[in-house]
Amino acid sequence: MSSLTELTAHELKGLLDKGEISSKDLVKEHLERIEKVDKKVNAFMTVTKEEALKQAEVVDEKRKRSEQLSPLAGIPMALKDNMCTKGIRTTCSSKILHNFIPPYNATVVEKLMKADSIVMGKCNMDEFAMGSSTENSGYFPTKNPYDLNVVPGGSSGGSAASVAAEEVVFSLGSDTGGSIRQPAAFCGVIGLKPTYGYVSRYGLVAFASSLDQIGPFTRDMTDCALVMNEIFGHDHKDSTSAPVEVPDFTKALNNDVKGLKIGLPKEYMNEGINPDIIECYKQAVAKLEELGAVCEEVSLPHTEYALPIYYIIAPAEASSNLARYDGVRYGLRVEGEDIVSMFKKTRSQGFGEEVKRRIMLGTYALSSGYYDAYYLKALKVRTLIKQDFDQVFEKFDCLLTPTTPTTAFNFGEKVDDPLSMYMNDICTVPANLAGVPALSMPFGLSKGRPVGLQLIGKAFGEGTLLRVGYTLEQNTTLTRPRPELKGVM
């Protein structure tokens, strides 16, 4: 029998329902895995051992009483450390929030706790979700389970690594410009950025409010659908939450793409894409065509502007959102001679270099005399990018692209070159700007490092992405890689 940590949520549910294992057994085995592996991987900021064991006992009692339970009941999971958890430290991997313990839970946390999922802890990230490698954490870098010498991606690197390293069954991350999909690609797992407004942002510590979305990391499409069923839906506490019905996403798991029209955007296939990634991409296209899908080249002409306008809009919103960290209300406080000195010292010592860089960029873009030239113009181009997607989706069901231009890169390779680091988001930021759903799934390896494929859908079209992903999953052997964790086991 496989180790329990190797199994998916739906496989574990079968064992739990039959009484072959208990939730407490499951939690203990995952805690042992974390103890064994995380000293090298560094996926976790905080491990909630005692709380997890207590939660497991509660679920086991409910199961003994034959209560009706969610498919995720008793399943170990983890949260990115920018989601508020009542009574559990939430740092955003920043020194400025080193001692912050929220008085409430984020809506997604409430939903998963209601579903009786077991929170194993909070995962490391780039500070305030700003970065593509988790090297910008204010505490320590997370390592990629496939190769401890390379990055896991970011900013949700800890959440992706925790699933890839089999420390938890699934996890949640947040995606502002690719922060779920890029680490999912680097770590060989599935990562979904939902349609903007489909998942509540209440209790998510804000980076860029018009772009942020919470989504799952899982090891297969069935688990992805199960998590989506629990966390999606309208929330009156979030003014940007979409008042739409949530379907049963497991019904989208059809092994059939016959007649689907899949667009292949030519702008995503630039000369910066790694040849091995292009080869995997071509294999996926050939397989989908073999299975009956119609794949045709399409054009999204304003794609070339996506990255520069993202790095105007996102820092502008960040400079506004991060103004609240002033040493007065909560978090770090560094005393000064007067209140202005206290503000300066607190922010100077509390924020890392990347966060400071983006605050300065954003403040500049919003300043008098530059607002119209930069921020307002960026918003207009954002509308053009959204219109590109709207026009393409009049004829196509979804789009297929690479998730990233390269596979996971070495530590230190890009950290001193911000522009090179920002280029890692070139394939992912357009979906955030347009507010449409996008999913990254593993599809093969390049020199032992996972390759990610990205599926992009029309607004609230997550079911189509699951259908295409599930079909690839059922008809190839390239979608479920596993790391060897050399030097750890």
Side-chain angles (χ1 to χ4, degrees):
M1 179 180 169
S2 300
S3 164
L4 294 179
T5 62
E6 296 175 27
L7 301 179
T8 61
H10 57 95
E11 290 168 337
L12 291 167
K13 178 185 182 299
L15 297 177
L16 287 164
D17 288 348
K18 292 174 187 173
E20 294 180 22
I21 59 169
S22 69
S23 297
K24 195 166 184 179
D25 293 335
L26 197 49
V27 167
K28 282 182 176 178
E29 189 152 337
H30 280 85
L31 286 170
E32 287 171 10
R33 176 75 175 177
I34 292 169
E35 178 71 25
K36 193 175 191 178
V37 166
D38 208 59
K39 60 187 75 170
K40 291 291 182 71
V41 175
N42 290 332
F44 281 88
M45 279 292 301
T46 304
V47 177
T48 52
K49 179 178 178 179
E50 298 305 321
E51 293 90 337
L53 288 168
K54 287 177 184 175
Q55 286 178 322
E57 288 175 357
V58 170
V59 176
D60 285 337
E61 285 301 316
K62 288 183 178 182
R63 196 166 257 115
K64 282 178 185 174
R65 294 194 297 267
S66 300
E67 291 186 25
Q68 188 169 355
L69 295 172
S70 149
L72 298 180
I75 303 297
M77 56 83 64
L79 303 163
K80 187 175 180 178
D81 203 23
N82 60 350
M83 298 172 201
C84 288
T85 41
K86 185 176 181 179
I88 300 170
R89 192 173 67 131
T90 300
T91 70
C92 293
S93 292
S94 176
K95 295 287 175 63
I96 210 161
L97 285 176
H98 72 104
N99 60 353
F100 176 56
I101 298 177
Y104 69 99
N105 284 320
T107 294
V108 290
V109 177
E110 283 291 327
K111 287 187 171 189
L112 286 172
M113 291 182 78
K114 187 177 178 182
D116 289 312
S117 295
I118 311 295
V119 179
M120 304 292 284
K122 310 293 289 293
C123 289
N124 193 30
M125 55 186 280
D126 285 300
E127 183 182 6
F128 282 104
M130 298 180 191
S132 303
S133 65
T134 318
E135 291 172 285
N136 292 324
S137 168
Y139 298 91
F140 48 80
T142 295
K143 298 175 182 178
N144 192 315
Y146 281 84
D147 183 342
L148 299 177
N149 297 306
V150 304
V151 303
S155 62
S156 307
S159 295
S162 69
V163 175
E166 298 170 359
E167 296 174 295
V168 291
V169 182
F170 71 92
S171 67
L172 296 188
S174 66
D175 192 310
T176 308
S179 289
I180 289 174
R181 289 159 289 154
Q182 189 247 20
F186 281 11
C187 290
V189 295
I190 292 164
L192 172 73
K193 182 207 84 72
T195 304
Y196 184 79
Y198 218 168
V199 176
S200 173
R201 291 186 300 109
Y202 179 77
L204 173 70
V205 178
F207 163 15
S209 304
S210 75
L211 300 164
D212 299 340
Q213 271 293 270
I214 295 170
F217 291 97
T218 63
R219 290 199 286 271
D220 74 0
M221 291 293 165
T222 304
D223 277 12
C224 189
L226 291 173
V227 179
M228 288 161 67
N229 281 349
E230 298 298 341
I231 67 170
F232 278 50
H234 182 252
D235 178 17
H236 71 275
K237 295 177 183 175
D238 175 5
S239 63
T240 61
S241 180
V244 293
E245 290 294 318
V246 177
D248 179 355
F249 286 107
T250 61
K251 292 180 179 176
L253 301 172
N254 298 322
N255 183 8
D256 178 20
V257 290
K258 289 185 181 70
L260 279 184
K261 292 195 72 176
I262 299 173
L264 312 174
K266 63 182 182 181
E267 288 81 7
Y268 286 68
M269 301 302 291
N270 59 57
E271 66 271 10
I273 305 292
N274 181 304
D276 287 352
I277 292 177
I278 292 175
E279 184 56 36
C280 289
Y281 176 74
K282 288 179 177 177
Q283 286 182 45
V285 172
K287 175 57 70 173
L288 288 167
E289 289 180 329
E290 177 192 318
L291 295 168
V294 177
C295 299
E296 294 178 6
E297 185 177 86
V298 297
S299 179
L300 299 164
H302 295 96
T303 298
E304 64 179 299
Y305 305 113
L307 204 61
I309 72 158
Y310 172 83
Y311 279 101
I312 292 172
I313 293 171
E317 295 187 17
S319 74
S320 176
N321 279 325
L322 270 62
R324 69 194 68 177
Y325 304 105
D326 54 13
V328 176
R329 286 161 283 200
Y330 52 84
L332 179 71
R333 178 176 184 145
V334 180
E335 296 297 340
E337 300 77 43
D338 53 38
I339 192 167
V340 174
S341 172
M342 186 271 287
F343 283 168
K344 286 181 178 179
K345 287 183 178 180
T346 297
R347 291 169 70 81
S348 175
Q349 294 181 34
F351 289 137
E353 292 304 310
E354 183 61 28
V355 173
K356 291 176 187 174
R357 181 183 293 118
R358 297 202 196 190
I359 289 173
M360 291 174 69
L361 282 169
T363 304
Y364 179 81
L366 292 174
S367 61
S368 178
Y370 296 101
Y371 181 93
D372 288 351
Y374 293 105
Y375 186 67
L376 191 60
K377 191 174 287 184
L379 293 179
K380 291 177 180 178
V381 179
R382 181 180 186 175
T383 300
L384 296 176
I385 289 170
K386 182 181 184 303
Q387 288 173 352
D388 284 351
F389 281 105
D390 290 343
Q391 289 169 11
V392 165
F393 287 134
E394 287 176 6
K395 298 179 181 177
F396 290 85
D397 297 295
C398 68
L399 306 176
L400 179 67
T401 78
T403 306
T404 55
T406 68
T407 54
F409 47 85
N410 293 331
F411 282 101
E413 189 176 319
K414 299 178 187 287
V415 74
D416 294 324
D417 184 359
L419 289 178
S420 175
M421 186 74 83
Y422 296 167
M423 288 298 290
N424 238 273
D425 299 332
I426 196 164
C427 297
T428 53
V429 295
N432 295 82
L433 293 166
V436 295
L439 177 150
S440 179
M441 64 180 295
F443 201 83
L445 299 171
S446 169
K447 299 179 178 62
R449 299 177 187 180
V451 171
L453 291 182
Q454 179 176 225
L455 291 161
I456 304 174
K458 60 186 73 174
F460 308 108
E462 280 83 349
T464 301
L465 307 187
L466 287 174
R467 178 181 168 186
V468 175
Y470 183 77
T471 302
L472 282 173
E473 195 175 75
Q474 298 301 306
N475 290 279
T476 75
T477 58
L478 301 173
T479 62
R480 286 290 300 275
R482 284 192 69 216
E484 293 182 29
L485 281 171
K486 291 176 182 175
V488 177
M489 302 308 295

